[in-house]
């Protein structure tokens, strides 16, 4: 691991150190030992590393997920994604994310166990939402209405289910995970297409409120 710059902010240290912590967490768990070992390897004072993760395990995991987001976007720059269809963009982004965490599957398993604890459920939900939001934004989604929320909610569920398959996937080149993901993304896009059709038809339906309004205030 490269040495972290001495003038790095705590936030920068947290993100840059997180992948090394994850590599250690596969053996040591998401605790002080994993953090301190990573800090020593990066030339970061242990006390500074401690300050970078004030909530301990949860902050280490959150920083790791943020580092994964950054690595995913670096692997698939906007220019490359622009040449793909929306289905291909979502698939490529999710697969890139899984490829990044593949060497640390056990660390991911342990991280999810930590996030499943009652006191961490809210944080887990925020992290899942952030991952889905990052993927949709990278894929070019600009929705600001309720579509913004439904897309991220559905993709978040699909990603979580895909990770569950991925953690125990021993097939060659993650074939089982890829197949599972492809089927779920097909489902997302079918839902979005159906939803768009329903909304389009709804725009032409008679409005009871407009009808009543015309009775009260007829157009002259």
């Amino acid at each position: 691991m490269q040495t972290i710059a001495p003038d790095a902010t705590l936030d920068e240290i947290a993100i840059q150190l997180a992948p090394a912590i994850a590599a250690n967490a596969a053996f040591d768990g998401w605790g002080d030992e994993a953090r301190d070992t990573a800090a020593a390897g990066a030339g970061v004072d242990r006390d500074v590393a401690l300050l970078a993760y004030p909530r301990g395990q949860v902050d280490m995991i959150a920083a790791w997920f943020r580092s994964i987001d950054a690595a995913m976007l670096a692997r698939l720059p906007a220019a490359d994604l622009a040449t793909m269809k929306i289905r291909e963009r979502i698939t490529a982004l999710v697969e890139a994310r899984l490829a990044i965490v593949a060497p640390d599957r056990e660390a991911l398993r342990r991280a999810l166990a930590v996030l499943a604890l009652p006191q961490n459920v809210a944080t887990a939900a925020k992290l899942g939402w952030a991952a889905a939001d990052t993927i949709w934004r990278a894929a070019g989604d600009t929705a600001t209405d309720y579509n913004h929320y439904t897309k991220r909610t559905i993709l978040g569920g699909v990603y979580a289910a895909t990770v569950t398959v991925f953690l125990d996937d021993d097939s060659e080149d993650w074939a089982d995970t890829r197949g599972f993901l492809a089927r779920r993304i097909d489902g997302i896009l079918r839902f979005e297409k159906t939803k768009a059709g329903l909304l389009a038809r709804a725009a032409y339906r008679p409005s009871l409120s407009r009808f009543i309004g015309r009775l009260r205030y007829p157009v002259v």
Side-chain angles (χ1 to χ4, degrees):
M1 156 173 200
Q2 293 183 343
T3 301
I4 295 176
D7 60 346
T9 65
L10 286 177
D11 191 55
E12 290 170 342
I13 291 172
I15 295 174
Q16 293 178 40
L17 201 58
I21 296 176
N24 296 326
F27 305 98
D28 302 326
W30 289 90
D32 295 346
E33 187 173 354
R35 183 198 62 227
D36 291 345
T37 301
V44 175
D45 185 272
R46 290 186 177 186
D47 291 335
V48 173
L50 177 62
L51 290 174
Y53 307 105
R55 295 186 300 165
Q57 290 179 314
V58 170
D59 280 345
M60 294 181 215
I61 294 167
W64 184 40
F65 286 4
R66 288 165 63 194
S67 75
I68 293 167
D69 284 339
M72 176 186 69
L73 296 176
R75 287 195 182 199
L76 291 168
D80 291 349
L81 290 169
T83 64
M84 305 178 188
K85 296 180 180 179
I86 185 64
R87 179 196 311 272
E88 295 170 337
R89 295 177 194 175
I90 298 295
T91 300
L93 287 161
V94 174
E95 289 186 350
R97 192 178 180 87
L98 295 177
I100 292 164
V101 301
D104 301 306
R105 278 204 298 178
E106 184 55 35
L108 178 58
R109 192 189 307 277
R110 291 181 178 228
L112 295 179
V114 171
L115 293 175
L117 296 174
Q119 66 268 30
N120 297 331
V121 169
T123 298
K126 290 178 182 178
L127 293 175
W129 177 273
D133 183 53
T134 300
I135 292 170
W136 269 118
R137 288 181 184 276
D141 180 62
T142 58
T144 56
D145 56 7
Y146 77 95
N147 284 305
H148 173 91
Y149 300 97
T150 58
K151 286 180 177 179
R152 284 148 182 81
T153 300
I154 295 171
L155 180 58
V158 166
Y159 179 69
T162 302
V163 167
T164 300
V165 175
F166 170 73
L167 287 174
D168 294 314
D169 187 359
D170 294 323
S171 61
E172 185 176 355
D173 196 29
W174 322 114
D176 291 345
T177 300
R178 292 176 188 276
F180 180 89
L181 175 63
R183 293 190 295 274
R184 294 306 178 273
I185 290 179
D186 283 344
I188 291 177
L189 297 181
R190 283 198 302 270
F191 173 78
E192 290 298 322
K193 184 176 180 180
T194 300
K195 183 176 67 176
L198 290 173
L199 291 174
R201 289 194 292 274
Y204 294 98
R205 290 175 183 168
S207 170
L208 180 59
S209 61
R210 288 200 300 268
F211 175 71
I212 293 174
R214 288 176 180 173
L215 291 178
R216 294 177 62 190
Y217 306 106
V219 177
V220 179

